[in-house]
Amino acid sequence: MEKSIVKTVPSMMSTSKSMSMSRHLFSLLLSLSFLFLLCRLLFLTRSSHQLISSSSSSSFSLPPSHAHAHAPALADPCFGRYVYVYDLPDKFNSDILCDCRTILPWIDMCPFVANMGLGPHLTETGSVLTGTGWHITNQWVLEVIFHNRMRQYECLTTNSSQADAFFIPYYVGLDTGRHLWTHNISLRDSLLLELFQLLKSRPEWSVKRGRDHFMLSGRATWDLRRQGDEDHLWGGKLLTLPEVKNMTVLLIEACPWDSDHEFAIPYPTNFHPSNESQIVAWQDKVRSTDRPWLFSFAGARRPGQAGSIRDQVSDQCLKSTRCRLLDCASQENDCDSPATTMSLFQSSSFCLQPPGDTPTRRSAFDSMLAGCIPVFFSPHSAYTQYKWYLPSNYSEYSVYIPEDEVREGRVSIEEVLLRYSEEEIGDMKEKVISMIPGLIYKDPSRQLESVRDAFDLAIDGVLQRVKSTIGT
C-alpha cells in the first residue's frame, strides 16, 4: 500500500509539472499573439495615417499648372491695362497728314503736324521759356500727339482677346476740319461712315458692341454733333452716330449736359518735356518768378457775338492799373508766339479766362503752365469738363466769377481778386504748379515713366470707364 502510494505521488507530480508547463506555454503563445496583433494594429494605423495624409494633400493642393494660374496676373504690371490699337488703312490718319495743306483753309498746317504733332522746335527760348522741350504746337493737332503717345504705351497688345480697351486711331477732327467750310455733307461724312462700316465687320467690335472702344478728337464737341444732313449745317456727325453712344470719346471740349460718353482732356500746350528734370526745372522757374500784375487778359473782343463778356472783361482790364491786356486782335501783338503769351502769364497772379467761341480755351492751360491762377466766368470752361485732371474743389486752384454779373456790370473783377490775401494767392499758385505734369503731353519720342502726363491720366480714365461700363 505504501509502495503504491509512493509510486502514485511521482506520477501525480509529473502530471502537475506537465500541466504547469502547458499553462506557461499557453501564456507565452497568448502573449506573442497579443504582441503580433498590437504590432499589426500599429502598422495598419501608421499606413492608414500616411494614406490619409497623402490623400488629404492631394485633395487640397492644386496641380502645378493650376496652382500658379493667377500668379502671372498678379505679377503682370499690365494686368487690366492692355490696349489694342486698330491698324487702320492710311487714309484714316497718315494720309490726312500728307494732305496737310487742306486741313485748315487759312493756314498751312504742314509745319504743325511735324515732329509727331508737336510742331517746330523752339530753339531761341530766351529768359521766358528757359530750357528745352518747347515747340510751336497748334491746338488742333492733339489727335496726332495722342496717337504717337499711344505707340509708346507700355501695355500695348496685338492679341485682341487679351485687350481691356481698343483704340481707334482715326483723325476725325482733322478730317472733319478740312471739310467744315464746304457745303458738301456727303464728302464731309464719307470717311467717317466708311470707318464704322469697317469696325462693325471686325470681331473685336462685335464682342462688346463698342463699349470697350475709344477714340479721340482734337476738336470741340460742337463741331461733331450735326443733327441733320442738309449741306448748310455746321459740323460732322460723329457724336450723333448710334454706334458711338456705346464708346468712350475724348475731346478738348465735351458736352457737359447730355452726354455720358464724352470726356474732355487738356488742350496741348507748347511744352513737351522729354525728361523729368525739364519739368522740375520749369516748375521751379514759375514758382520763383516775380508777378507785378495782379491780373491779365490775353484775347480779342467779340463785338458781334451775342452774350459774350469779352468786351466787358477787356474794358475792366484797361481801366485797372493792376491789369495788363494783350489784345490779340491787334497786329502789333503776336498772340501765337509762345514767348509773348507766356511772358504775360508769368508776370500775373491771376489770368482771366472768359469764354470765346466756345466755353473752353487753350489759354487756360497755357496760363496754368505758367503758374498763373485761372479766373473762370462759366462752369463749363473747366469745372464740368476736365474732371480727370482738375480738383473737384475748384477754389483750391481757381477763382469763379459768374459771367452774368460781369455782363450786367454788377461786379468788379479787380475788387474780387483784391480780397485774396498773399498767403491765399501763394497756396493757390502752388496748387496750380503741382498740377502741371498732368496738364501737359510729354514728347512722344521719349519714354518718361516717372511722370504721369495728360495722356496717362486719359488712359486711366478710359480703362476705368470701360470697366464700369462692361461690369467687369
Side-chain angles (χ1 to χ4, degrees):
M1 183 77 179
E2 292 178 353
K3 292 183 178 177
S4 173
I5 293 172
V6 171
K7 290 182 178 178
T8 304
V9 170
S11 175
M12 291 176 63
M13 290 177 63
S14 175
T15 303
S16 174
K17 184 177 181 180
S18 176
M19 292 177 63
S20 176
M21 290 180 63
S22 297
R23 285 196 297 270
H24 284 299
L25 181 62
F26 176 78
S27 296
L28 178 62
L29 290 173
L30 186 62
S31 298
L32 290 174
S33 298
F34 177 78
L35 288 174
F36 173 80
L37 290 173
L38 180 62
C39 290
R40 180 63 178 168
L41 180 62
L42 289 172
F43 173 80
L44 290 174
T45 303
R46 183 178 181 184
S47 299
S48 176
H49 176 71
Q50 289 178 337
L51 181 61
I52 292 171
S53 298
S54 175
S55 175
S56 175
S57 175
S58 298
S59 298
F60 292 97
S61 297
L62 294 173
S65 60
H66 293 101
H68 303 290
H70 296 291
L74 294 175
D76 184 0
C78 290
F79 180 72
R81 301 175 58 229
Y82 282 106
V83 176
Y84 177 94
V85 179
Y86 276 93
D87 184 16
L88 298 178
D90 291 344
K91 60 184 173 182
F92 293 106
N93 40 58
S94 60
D95 282 356
I96 297 175
L97 303 186
C98 292
D99 197 21
C100 52
R101 286 182 175 82
T102 67
I103 292 176
L104 289 176
W106 62 83
I107 187 174
D108 181 3
M109 287 289 290
C110 295
F112 300 108
V113 300
N115 295 320
M116 299 184 175
L118 304 184
H121 286 278
L122 271 176
T123 54
E124 299 294 331
T125 57
S127 61
V128 177
L129 308 176
T130 56
T132 56
W134 292 92
H135 295 254
I136 304 176
T137 304
N138 187 278
Q139 71 175 25
W140 307 120
V141 297
L142 185 53
E143 292 157 354
V144 185
I145 298 172
F146 197 94
H147 188 193
N148 283 297
R149 284 283 283 112
M150 181 60 76
R151 289 188 170 112
Q152 299 296 326
Y153 179 58
E154 65 272 16
C155 295
L156 291 179
T157 180
T158 56
N159 180 1
S160 62
S161 63
Q162 185 185 35
D164 299 287
F166 296 78
F167 177 60
I168 306 169
Y170 165 44
Y171 299 166
V172 60
L174 297 179
D175 177 36
T176 303
R178 58 183 175 171
H179 303 301
L180 278 176
W181 288 267
T182 60
H183 297 291
N184 188 331
I185 293 297
S186 60
L187 176 63
R188 195 183 304 169
D189 296 340
S190 60
L191 205 55
L192 172 68
L193 298 178
E194 184 178 347
L195 170 71
F196 277 90
Q197 287 299 317
L198 173 64
L199 290 175
K200 289 188 292 184
S201 70
R202 295 284 294 266
E204 296 88 354
W205 176 272
S206 61
V207 175
K208 298 287 192 306
R209 300 296 180 187
R211 289 182 297 162
D212 50 3
H213 284 52
F214 71 104
M215 63 186 301
L216 168 87
S217 170
R219 299 194 75 92
T221 180
W222 324 110
D223 293 332
L224 301 169
R225 48 175 52 241
R226 193 185 72 241
Q227 298 298 319
D229 289 333
E230 292 80 12
D231 283 339
H232 69 278
L233 294 177
W234 175 264
K237 64 185 302 181
L238 169 72
L239 299 174
T240 61
L241 294 179
E243 297 87 350
V244 177
K245 301 298 183 181
N246 288 338
M247 295 173 49
T248 301
V249 183
L250 310 178
L251 311 105
I252 56 174
E253 180 177 329
C255 179
W257 51 77
D258 70 347
S259 176
D260 61 354
H261 65 284
E262 297 179 27
F263 297 87
I265 65 175
Y267 284 78
T269 66
N270 296 303
F271 186 45
H272 308 284
S274 57
N275 58 63
E276 184 178 0
S277 63
Q278 292 176 354
I279 299 176
V280 173
W282 177 253
Q283 288 176 302
D284 289 341
K285 172 181 167 49
V286 298
R287 184 179 288 115
S288 60
T289 300
D290 291 331
R291 300 179 184 269
W293 300 101
L294 176 64
F295 62 114
S296 64
F297 173 51
R301 296 173 180 267
R302 292 287 195 274
Q305 184 175 319
S308 174
I309 62 170
R310 290 287 191 94
D311 286 356
Q312 290 89 340
V313 169
S314 297
D315 289 340
Q316 287 204 34
C317 185
L318 284 171
K319 292 177 182 178
S320 172
T321 58
R322 295 183 173 91
C323 183
R324 183 182 172 194
L325 176 67
L326 182 65
D327 185 2
C328 294
S330 172
Q331 295 182 352
E332 297 178 1
N333 299 321
D334 186 6
C335 289
D336 292 327
S337 166
T340 300
T341 53
M342 292 301 283
S343 175
L344 173 70
F345 299 149
Q346 287 181 53
S347 64
S348 310
S349 293
F350 297 95
C351 291
L352 309 183
Q353 303 297 339
D357 296 326
T358 67
T360 66
R361 300 184 73 202
R362 168 182 167 161
S363 174
F365 294 96
D366 289 335
S367 66
M368 286 189 283
L369 177 60
C372 188
I373 302 165
V375 179
F376 296 114
F377 301 87
S378 167
H380 304 315
S381 293
Y383 310 141
T384 62
Q385 295 285 339
Y386 308 101
K387 297 178 181 179
W388 295 344
Y389 300 90
L390 303 178
S392 57
N393 183 2
Y394 65 82
S395 62
E396 291 182 4
Y397 72 95
S398 69
V399 175
Y400 175 62
I401 303 175
E403 58 184 330
D404 286 345
E405 295 186 11
V406 176
R407 186 182 299 109
E408 297 168 7
R410 293 187 283 114
V411 66
S412 165
I413 297 173
E414 180 178 356
E415 289 180 3
V416 171
L417 301 180
L418 283 172
R419 295 173 192 157
Y420 289 87
S421 66
E422 287 297 322
E423 182 180 359
E424 289 173 321
I425 292 174
D427 290 343
M428 294 168 73
K429 183 180 76 170
E430 188 57 38
K431 183 63 178 181
V432 169
I433 293 172
S434 71
M435 291 159 48
I436 288 176
L439 302 179
I440 60 176
Y441 296 92
K442 298 178 292 191
D443 186 340
S445 67
R446 305 293 182 88
Q447 290 283 0
L448 187 54
E449 297 179 0
S450 59
V451 176
R452 297 178 59 74
D453 69 347
F455 168 85
D456 295 315
L457 297 182
I459 296 299
D460 287 350
V462 167
L463 291 171
Q464 183 59 43
R465 200 257 171 179
V466 167
K467 182 180 179 180
S468 63
T469 300
I470 64 178
T472 60

